[in-house]
Amino acid sequence: MKNLKYFWLFVTCLTVGLGFAQEQKELENKVKLESVIKDLNQDVHLIAEASKTQVSVDGELNIEYRLYVSPSIGISGWEITEKPSYEGFDFETIKLENLKIENTTYKGKSYRMVVLRKDILKATKSGDYDVAPLQLQITAEVADATKKLDELKFSMQEVTTTIVSNTLKINVKL
């Protein structure tokens, strides 16, 4: 009977120890994932660009939503989670058949850029308007420095995060 008590005490201690180790590993993974997402948010940018910031009533302007991605990041998927709102405008979204990737510079760094969405807006009434941002959920492939395969190769980690474009200010005059 005494041996049975020691056995259960051993099993209990082992279970608690393994549970603590598992929680510690999950916490480390969460911290690591947060760090990867923070780095990802510095390497991926969604930028809204307007052809004009001032237009007259019945005038038109174009808005492009451009995704800038660092060469060290791979985007494996994206989905619009919140569309921009265009209060004070009628709009038409241009269907983009083939997304064209361009090498470019953004804020002094090299990026790959693709236009994800293009909208044509026609002003319906005068005033100052804020074009609410476009929001995307992206799935990215990032190098996992903790899992080096060899000197030049890294294991890739899939990360999903949300990015939001900037807000545009448009002035519509009579």
Side-chain angles (χ1 to χ4, degrees), residues 32-153:
K32 185 176 131 189
L33 181 62
E34 288 172 356
S35 174
V36 168
I37 289 174
K38 182 180 175 188
D39 291 345
L40 180 64
N41 288 336
Q42 294 173 359
D43 289 333
V44 179
H45 307 280
L46 181 60
I47 306 299
E49 293 186 9
S51 61
K52 304 174 193 173
T53 56
Q54 188 170 330
V55 67
S56 60
V57 174
D58 290 332
E60 290 186 352
L61 67 127
N62 299 324
I63 297 181
E64 288 187 349
Y65 294 91
R66 298 177 176 193
L67 183 64
Y68 291 85
V69 180
S70 168
S72 63
I73 305 291
I75 301 295
S76 58
W78 58 272
E79 177 183 353
I80 295 175
T81 55
E82 195 169 315
K83 294 179 181 177
S85 62
Y86 298 123
E87 181 186 340
F89 296 90
D90 288 332
F91 76 96
E92 176 185 354
T93 299
I94 304 300
K95 185 174 180 166
L96 302 173
E97 298 282 327
N98 297 317
L99 299 181
K100 182 180 173 187
I101 299 171
E102 298 176 24
N103 291 319
T104 188
T105 303
Y106 176 71
K107 292 190 176 183
K109 294 183 180 178
S110 294
Y111 284 90
R112 291 168 292 152
M113 186 276 297
V114 63
V115 176
L116 294 180
R117 182 181 171 116
K118 189 182 276 190
D119 295 334
I120 299 173
L121 281 62
K122 183 174 182 179
T124 58
K125 56 185 178 180
S126 64
D128 292 324
Y129 296 99
D130 288 339
V131 174
L134 175 69
Q135 182 173 301
L136 295 179
Q137 181 176 13
I138 62 168
T139 303
E141 302 288 331
V142 295
D144 186 349
T146 62
K147 295 182 182 176
K148 269 190 175 181
L149 300 176
D150 64 32
E151 197 62 35
L152 298 175
K153 294 181 185 174

Side-chain angles (χ1 to χ4, degrees), residues 16-31:
V16 169
L18 289 175
F20 178 74
Q22 180 66 27
E23 287 176 14
Q24 187 69 23
K25 184 163 179 73
E26 287 174 5
L27 181 61
E28 288 171 5
N29 287 343
K30 182 179 177 188
V31 168

